[in-house]
Amino acid sequence: MPTWPDDDVILFDGICIFCSRWVRFVAARDTAKRFRFTPIQSDYGAKLARTFGINPDDPDTNAVVHGGEALMKSDAALTVLSQLPGWGWVRILFAVPKPLRDPFYSFIARNRYRIFGKYESCFVPDRDLRARVIE
């Protein structure tokens, strides 16, 4: 598996309303400001996506680079949540086998625009969050 020089970077679909809400959810709870964010529509995000085999034009997952490795789908979401204050309890969900977790994740990912909608252009964060976005 390829490596990435930056750690604790969350790759997300910047036009997906659900994905953008996920970023705001994480940012609001990440009191240590550990995580940084990159929309897949940015040059940096597209390069990160391609490095890990994600199609930037049709992303089917978010990803997080954590501990030097890229995690995808339910592993990415659970890893991020488990690092947030008060959310360590989600680690227990890693006991659910990945072949059971990922289909649920994939269903939401495939239908995210239909269920939650999408922005016409990439999500623009407020000034505080903007400092944590890599483009």
mmCIF file with all atom_site columns, all heavy atoms in Angstrom, residues 34 78-79 81-84 87-96:
data_model
loop_
_atom_site.group_PDB
_atom_site.id
_atom_site.type_symbol
_atom_site.label_atom_id
_atom_site.label_alt_id
_atom_site.label_comp_id
_atom_site.label_asym_id
_atom_site.label_entity_id
_atom_site.label_seq_id
_atom_site.pdbx_PDB_ins_code
_atom_site.Cartn_x
_atom_site.Cartn_y
_atom_site.Cartn_z
_atom_site.occupancy
_atom_site.B_iso_or_equiv
_atom_site.pdbx_formal_charge
_atom_site.auth_seq_id
_atom_site.auth_comp_id
_atom_site.auth_asym_id
_atom_site.auth_atom_id
_atom_site.pdbx_PDB_model_num
ATOM 1   N N   . ARG A 1 34 ? -6.700  17.982 15.583 1.00 0.00 ? 34 ARG A N   1
ATOM 2   C CA  . ARG A 1 34 ? -5.813  16.941 15.060 1.00 0.00 ? 34 ARG A CA  1
ATOM 3   C C   . ARG A 1 34 ? -6.021  16.726 13.565 1.00 0.00 ? 34 ARG A C   1
ATOM 4   O O   . ARG A 1 34 ? -5.063  16.579 12.814 1.00 0.00 ? 34 ARG A O   1
ATOM 5   C CB  . ARG A 1 34 ? -6.113  15.654 15.822 1.00 0.00 ? 34 ARG A CB  1
ATOM 6   C CG  . ARG A 1 34 ? -5.461  14.447 15.280 1.00 0.00 ? 34 ARG A CG  1
ATOM 7   C CD  . ARG A 1 34 ? -5.940  13.212 16.032 1.00 0.00 ? 34 ARG A CD  1
ATOM 8   N NE  . ARG A 1 34 ? -4.950  12.191 15.893 1.00 0.00 ? 34 ARG A NE  1
ATOM 9   C CZ  . ARG A 1 34 ? -4.748  11.231 16.746 1.00 0.00 ? 34 ARG A CZ  1
ATOM 10  N NH1 . ARG A 1 34 ? -5.474  11.152 17.830 1.00 0.00 ? 34 ARG A NH1 1
ATOM 11  N NH2 . ARG A 1 34 ? -3.831  10.336 16.545 1.00 0.00 ? 34 ARG A NH2 1
ATOM 12  N N   . LEU A 1 78 ? -14.926 4.941  11.395 1.00 0.00 ? 78 LEU A N   1
ATOM 13  C CA  . LEU A 1 78 ? -14.770 4.507  12.793 1.00 0.00 ? 78 LEU A CA  1
ATOM 14  C C   . LEU A 1 78 ? -13.460 4.987  13.394 1.00 0.00 ? 78 LEU A C   1
ATOM 15  O O   . LEU A 1 78 ? -13.409 5.349  14.580 1.00 0.00 ? 78 LEU A O   1
ATOM 16  C CB  . LEU A 1 78 ? -14.876 2.983  12.889 1.00 0.00 ? 78 LEU A CB  1
ATOM 17  C CG  . LEU A 1 78 ? -16.248 2.393  12.578 1.00 0.00 ? 78 LEU A CG  1
ATOM 18  C CD1 . LEU A 1 78 ? -16.198 0.871  12.625 1.00 0.00 ? 78 LEU A CD1 1
ATOM 19  C CD2 . LEU A 1 78 ? -17.310 2.933  13.528 1.00 0.00 ? 78 LEU A CD2 1
ATOM 20  N N   . THR A 1 79 ? -12.401 5.014  12.606 1.00 0.00 ? 79 THR A N   1
ATOM 21  C CA  . THR A 1 79 ? -11.108 5.496  13.109 1.00 0.00 ? 79 THR A CA  1
ATOM 22  C C   . THR A 1 79 ? -11.209 6.963  13.487 1.00 0.00 ? 79 THR A C   1
ATOM 23  O O   . THR A 1 79 ? -10.758 7.363  14.564 1.00 0.00 ? 79 THR A O   1
ATOM 24  C CB  . THR A 1 79 ? -9.997  5.274  12.066 1.00 0.00 ? 79 THR A CB  1
ATOM 25  O OG1 . THR A 1 79 ? -9.844  3.864  11.859 1.00 0.00 ? 79 THR A OG1 1
ATOM 26  C CG2 . THR A 1 79 ? -8.676  5.872  12.521 1.00 0.00 ? 79 THR A CG2 1
ATOM 27  N N   . LEU A 1 81 ? -13.965 8.757  14.216 1.00 0.00 ? 81 LEU A N   1
ATOM 28  C CA  . LEU A 1 81 ? -14.831 8.902  15.393 1.00 0.00 ? 81 LEU A CA  1
ATOM 29  C C   . LEU A 1 81 ? -14.123 8.479  16.669 1.00 0.00 ? 81 LEU A C   1
ATOM 30  O O   . LEU A 1 81 ? -14.235 9.156  17.697 1.00 0.00 ? 81 LEU A O   1
ATOM 31  C CB  . LEU A 1 81 ? -16.108 8.073  15.220 1.00 0.00 ? 81 LEU A CB  1
ATOM 32  C CG  . LEU A 1 81 ? -17.167 8.650  14.299 1.00 0.00 ? 81 LEU A CG  1
ATOM 33  C CD1 . LEU A 1 81 ? -18.279 7.626  14.075 1.00 0.00 ? 81 LEU A CD1 1
ATOM 34  C CD2 . LEU A 1 81 ? -17.731 9.948  14.848 1.00 0.00 ? 81 LEU A CD2 1
ATOM 35  N N   . SER A 1 82 ? -13.387 7.377  16.611 1.00 0.00 ? 82 SER A N   1
ATOM 36  C CA  . SER A 1 82 ? -12.741 6.856  17.828 1.00 0.00 ? 82 SER A CA  1
ATOM 37  C C   . SER A 1 82 ? -11.646 7.777  18.355 1.00 0.00 ? 82 SER A C   1
ATOM 38  O O   . SER A 1 82 ? -11.242 7.648  19.508 1.00 0.00 ? 82 SER A O   1
ATOM 39  C CB  . SER A 1 82 ? -12.180 5.456  17.572 1.00 0.00 ? 82 SER A CB  1
ATOM 40  O OG  . SER A 1 82 ? -11.052 5.498  16.727 1.00 0.00 ? 82 SER A OG  1
ATOM 41  N N   . GLN A 1 83 ? -11.179 8.707  17.533 1.00 0.00 ? 83 GLN A N   1
ATOM 42  C CA  . GLN A 1 83 ? -10.144 9.656  17.959 1.00 0.00 ? 83 GLN A CA  1
ATOM 43  C C   . GLN A 1 83 ? -10.719 10.930 18.575 1.00 0.00 ? 83 GLN A C   1
ATOM 44  O O   . GLN A 1 83 ? -9.984  11.744 19.119 1.00 0.00 ? 83 GLN A O   1
ATOM 45  C CB  . GLN A 1 83 ? -9.253  10.032 16.766 1.00 0.00 ? 83 GLN A CB  1
ATOM 46  C CG  . GLN A 1 83 ? -8.539  8.873  16.121 1.00 0.00 ? 83 GLN A CG  1
ATOM 47  C CD  . GLN A 1 83 ? -7.621  8.159  17.081 1.00 0.00 ? 83 GLN A CD  1
ATOM 48  O OE1 . GLN A 1 83 ? -6.799  8.773  17.755 1.00 0.00 ? 83 GLN A OE1 1
ATOM 49  N NE2 . GLN A 1 83 ? -7.774  6.847  17.176 1.00 0.00 ? 83 GLN A NE2 1
ATOM 50  N N   . LEU A 1 84 ? -12.030 11.100 18.490 1.00 0.00 ? 84 LEU A N   1
ATOM 51  C CA  . LEU A 1 84 ? -12.663 12.306 19.011 1.00 0.00 ? 84 LEU A CA  1
ATOM 52  C C   . LEU A 1 84 ? -12.985 12.149 20.495 1.00 0.00 ? 84 LEU A C   1
ATOM 53  O O   . LEU A 1 84 ? -13.373 11.065 20.933 1.00 0.00 ? 84 LEU A O   1
ATOM 54  C CB  . LEU A 1 84 ? -13.948 12.598 18.235 1.00 0.00 ? 84 LEU A CB  1
ATOM 55  C CG  . LEU A 1 84 ? -13.787 12.845 16.741 1.00 0.00 ? 84 LEU A CG  1
ATOM 56  C CD1 . LEU A 1 84 ? -15.163 13.010 16.089 1.00 0.00 ? 84 LEU A CD1 1
ATOM 57  C CD2 . LEU A 1 84 ? -12.903 14.047 16.467 1.00 0.00 ? 84 LEU A CD2 1
ATOM 58  N N   . TRP A 1 87 ? -15.867 9.849  22.075 1.00 0.00 ? 87 TRP A N   1
ATOM 59  C CA  . TRP A 1 87 ? -16.328 8.912  21.052 1.00 0.00 ? 87 TRP A CA  1
ATOM 60  C C   . TRP A 1 87 ? -15.478 7.640  21.003 1.00 0.00 ? 87 TRP A C   1
ATOM 61  O O   . TRP A 1 87 ? -15.634 6.825  20.096 1.00 0.00 ? 87 TRP A O   1
ATOM 62  C CB  . TRP A 1 87 ? -16.338 9.590  19.682 1.00 0.00 ? 87 TRP A CB  1
ATOM 63  C CG  . TRP A 1 87 ? -17.478 10.542 19.556 1.00 0.00 ? 87 TRP A CG  1
ATOM 64  C CD1 . TRP A 1 87 ? -17.520 11.831 19.997 1.00 0.00 ? 87 TRP A CD1 1
ATOM 65  C CD2 . TRP A 1 87 ? -18.747 10.270 18.990 1.00 0.00 ? 87 TRP A CD2 1
ATOM 66  N NE1 . TRP A 1 87 ? -18.753 12.380 19.730 1.00 0.00 ? 87 TRP A NE1 1
ATOM 67  C CE2 . TRP A 1 87 ? -19.521 11.434 19.104 1.00 0.00 ? 87 TRP A CE2 1
ATOM 68  C CE3 . TRP A 1 87 ? -19.311 9.145  18.386 1.00 0.00 ? 87 TRP A CE3 1
ATOM 69  C CZ2 . TRP A 1 87 ? -20.821 11.518 18.654 1.00 0.00 ? 87 TRP A CZ2 1
ATOM 70  C CZ3 . TRP A 1 87 ? -20.608 9.236  17.917 1.00 0.00 ? 87 TRP A CZ3 1
ATOM 71  C CH2 . TRP A 1 87 ? -21.352 10.417 18.060 1.00 0.00 ? 87 TRP A CH2 1
ATOM 72  N N   . GLY A 1 88 ? -14.604 7.436  21.947 1.00 0.00 ? 88 GLY A N   1
ATOM 73  C CA  . GLY A 1 88 ? -13.761 6.244  21.965 1.00 0.00 ? 88 GLY A CA  1
ATOM 74  C C   . GLY A 1 88 ? -14.555 4.945  22.001 1.00 0.00 ? 88 GLY A C   1
ATOM 75  O O   . GLY A 1 88 ? -14.070 3.904  21.542 1.00 0.00 ? 88 GLY A O   1
ATOM 76  N N   . TRP A 1 89 ? -15.785 5.015  22.492 1.00 0.00 ? 89 TRP A N   1
ATOM 77  C CA  . TRP A 1 89 ? -16.633 3.819  22.587 1.00 0.00 ? 89 TRP A CA  1
ATOM 78  C C   . TRP A 1 89 ? -16.899 3.186  21.227 1.00 0.00 ? 89 TRP A C   1
ATOM 79  O O   . TRP A 1 89 ? -17.191 1.991  21.139 1.00 0.00 ? 89 TRP A O   1
ATOM 80  C CB  . TRP A 1 89 ? -17.962 4.141  23.284 1.00 0.00 ? 89 TRP A CB  1
ATOM 81  C CG  . TRP A 1 89 ? -18.788 5.154  22.547 1.00 0.00 ? 89 TRP A CG  1
ATOM 82  C CD1 . TRP A 1 89 ? -18.785 6.506  22.724 1.00 0.00 ? 89 TRP A CD1 1
ATOM 83  C CD2 . TRP A 1 89 ? -19.725 4.892  21.499 1.00 0.00 ? 89 TRP A CD2 1
ATOM 84  N NE1 . TRP A 1 89 ? -19.667 7.103  21.844 1.00 0.00 ? 89 TRP A NE1 1
ATOM 85  C CE2 . TRP A 1 89 ? -20.256 6.134  21.077 1.00 0.00 ? 89 TRP A CE2 1
ATOM 86  C CE3 . TRP A 1 89 ? -20.173 3.736  20.872 1.00 0.00 ? 89 TRP A CE3 1
ATOM 87  C CZ2 . TRP A 1 89 ? -21.203 6.248  20.071 1.00 0.00 ? 89 TRP A CZ2 1
ATOM 88  C CZ3 . TRP A 1 89 ? -21.126 3.853  19.854 1.00 0.00 ? 89 TRP A CZ3 1
ATOM 89  C CH2 . TRP A 1 89 ? -21.625 5.096  19.471 1.00 0.00 ? 89 TRP A CH2 1
ATOM 90  N N   . VAL A 1 90 ? -16.779 3.949  20.127 1.00 0.00 ? 90 VAL A N   1
ATOM 91  C CA  . VAL A 1 90 ? -17.065 3.373  18.807 1.00 0.00 ? 90 VAL A CA  1
ATOM 92  C C   . VAL A 1 90 ? -16.046 2.309  18.400 1.00 0.00 ? 90 VAL A C   1
ATOM 93  O O   . VAL A 1 90 ? -16.310 1.530  17.481 1.00 0.00 ? 90 VAL A O   1
ATOM 94  C CB  . VAL A 1 90 ? -17.207 4.425  17.687 1.00 0.00 ? 90 VAL A CB  1
ATOM 95  C CG1 . VAL A 1 90 ? -18.300 5.422  17.998 1.00 0.00 ? 90 VAL A CG1 1
ATOM 96  C CG2 . VAL A 1 90 ? -15.902 5.118  17.410 1.00 0.00 ? 90 VAL A CG2 1
ATOM 97  N N   . ARG A 1 91 ? -14.923 2.245  19.104 1.00 0.00 ? 91 ARG A N   1
ATOM 98  C CA  . ARG A 1 91 ? -13.928 1.199  18.802 1.00 0.00 ? 91 ARG A CA  1
ATOM 99  C C   . ARG A 1 91 ? -14.553 -0.193 18.865 1.00 0.00 ? 91 ARG A C   1
ATOM 100 O O   . ARG A 1 91 ? -14.127 -1.097 18.167 1.00 0.00 ? 91 ARG A O   1
ATOM 101 C CB  . ARG A 1 91 ? -12.749 1.284  19.761 1.00 0.00 ? 91 ARG A CB  1
ATOM 102 C CG  . ARG A 1 91 ? -11.819 2.421  19.489 1.00 0.00 ? 91 ARG A CG  1
ATOM 103 C CD  . ARG A 1 91 ? -10.605 2.397  20.437 1.00 0.00 ? 91 ARG A CD  1
ATOM 104 N NE  . ARG A 1 91 ? -9.800  3.571  20.259 1.00 0.00 ? 91 ARG A NE  1
ATOM 105 C CZ  . ARG A 1 91 ? -9.895  4.680  20.991 1.00 0.00 ? 91 ARG A CZ  1
ATOM 106 N NH1 . ARG A 1 91 ? -10.777 4.758  21.965 1.00 0.00 ? 91 ARG A NH1 1
ATOM 107 N NH2 . ARG A 1 91 ? -9.118  5.706  20.748 1.00 0.00 ? 91 ARG A NH2 1
ATOM 108 N N   . ILE A 1 92 ? -15.564 -0.348 19.704 1.00 0.00 ? 92 ILE A N   1
ATOM 109 C CA  . ILE A 1 92 ? -16.222 -1.653 19.821 1.00 0.00 ? 92 ILE A CA  1
ATOM 110 C C   . ILE A 1 92 ? -16.838 -2.084 18.493 1.00 0.00 ? 92 ILE A C   1
ATOM 111 O O   . ILE A 1 92 ? -16.964 -3.279 18.209 1.00 0.00 ? 92 ILE A O   1
ATOM 112 C CB  . ILE A 1 92 ? -17.279 -1.661 20.952 1.00 0.00 ? 92 ILE A CB  1
ATOM 113 C CG1 . ILE A 1 92 ? -17.635 -3.089 21.287 1.00 0.00 ? 92 ILE A CG1 1
ATOM 114 C CG2 . ILE A 1 92 ? -18.500 -0.856 20.584 1.00 0.00 ? 92 ILE A CG2 1
ATOM 115 C CD1 . ILE A 1 92 ? -18.117 -3.286 22.683 1.00 0.00 ? 92 ILE A CD1 1
ATOM 116 N N   . LEU A 1 93 ? -17.174 -1.124 17.643 1.00 0.00 ? 93 LEU A N   1
ATOM 117 C CA  . LEU A 1 93 ? -17.773 -1.463 16.351 1.00 0.00 ? 93 LEU A CA  1
ATOM 118 C C   . LEU A 1 93 ? -16.776 -2.115 15.393 1.00 0.00 ? 93 LEU A C   1
ATOM 119 O O   . LEU A 1 93 ? -17.177 -2.750 14.422 1.00 0.00 ? 93 LEU A O   1
ATOM 120 C CB  . LEU A 1 93 ? -18.396 -0.222 15.714 1.00 0.00 ? 93 LEU A CB  1
ATOM 121 C CG  . LEU A 1 93 ? -19.568 0.376  16.496 1.00 0.00 ? 93 LEU A CG  1
ATOM 122 C CD1 . LEU A 1 93 ? -20.055 1.660  15.850 1.00 0.00 ? 93 LEU A CD1 1
ATOM 123 C CD2 . LEU A 1 93 ? -20.699 -0.639 16.645 1.00 0.00 ? 93 LEU A CD2 1
ATOM 124 N N   . PHE A 1 94 ? -15.478 -1.995 15.691 1.00 0.00 ? 94 PHE A N   1
ATOM 125 C CA  . PHE A 1 94 ? -14.482 -2.721 14.905 1.00 0.00 ? 94 PHE A CA  1
ATOM 126 C C   . PHE A 1 94 ? -14.639 -4.233 15.093 1.00 0.00 ? 94 PHE A C   1
ATOM 127 O O   . PHE A 1 94 ? -14.146 -5.013 14.286 1.00 0.00 ? 94 PHE A O   1
ATOM 128 C CB  . PHE A 1 94 ? -13.055 -2.298 15.263 1.00 0.00 ? 94 PHE A CB  1
ATOM 129 C CG  . PHE A 1 94 ? -12.639 -0.994 14.647 1.00 0.00 ? 94 PHE A CG  1
ATOM 130 C CD1 . PHE A 1 94 ? -12.446 0.129  15.437 1.00 0.00 ? 94 PHE A CD1 1
ATOM 131 C CD2 . PHE A 1 94 ? -12.432 -0.876 13.276 1.00 0.00 ? 94 PHE A CD2 1
ATOM 132 C CE1 . PHE A 1 94 ? -12.051 1.334  14.877 1.00 0.00 ? 94 PHE A CE1 1
ATOM 133 C CE2 . PHE A 1 94 ? -12.045 0.320  12.706 1.00 0.00 ? 94 PHE A CE2 1
ATOM 134 C CZ  . PHE A 1 94 ? -11.852 1.435  13.509 1.00 0.00 ? 94 PHE A CZ  1
ATOM 135 N N   . ALA A 1 95 ? -15.337 -4.645 16.144 1.00 0.00 ? 95 ALA A N   1
ATOM 136 C CA  . ALA A 1 95 ? -15.598 -6.077 16.377 1.00 0.00 ? 95 ALA A CA  1
ATOM 137 C C   . ALA A 1 95 ? -16.577 -6.634 15.340 1.00 0.00 ? 95 ALA A C   1
ATOM 138 O O   . ALA A 1 95 ? -16.597 -7.833 15.084 1.00 0.00 ? 95 ALA A O   1
ATOM 139 C CB  . ALA A 1 95 ? -16.132 -6.304 17.788 1.00 0.00 ? 95 ALA A CB  1
ATOM 140 N N   . VAL A 1 96 ? -17.376 -5.752 14.751 1.00 0.00 ? 96 VAL A N   1
ATOM 141 C CA  . VAL A 1 96 ? -18.271 -6.169 13.668 1.00 0.00 ? 96 VAL A CA  1
ATOM 142 C C   . VAL A 1 96 ? -17.381 -6.395 12.442 1.00 0.00 ? 96 VAL A C   1
ATOM 143 O O   . VAL A 1 96 ? -16.617 -5.505 12.064 1.00 0.00 ? 96 VAL A O   1
ATOM 144 C CB  . VAL A 1 96 ? -19.336 -5.098 13.371 1.00 0.00 ? 96 VAL A CB  1
ATOM 145 C CG1 . VAL A 1 96 ? -20.191 -5.495 12.175 1.00 0.00 ? 96 VAL A CG1 1
ATOM 146 C CG2 . VAL A 1 96 ? -20.182 -4.828 14.602 1.00 0.00 ? 96 VAL A CG2 1
#
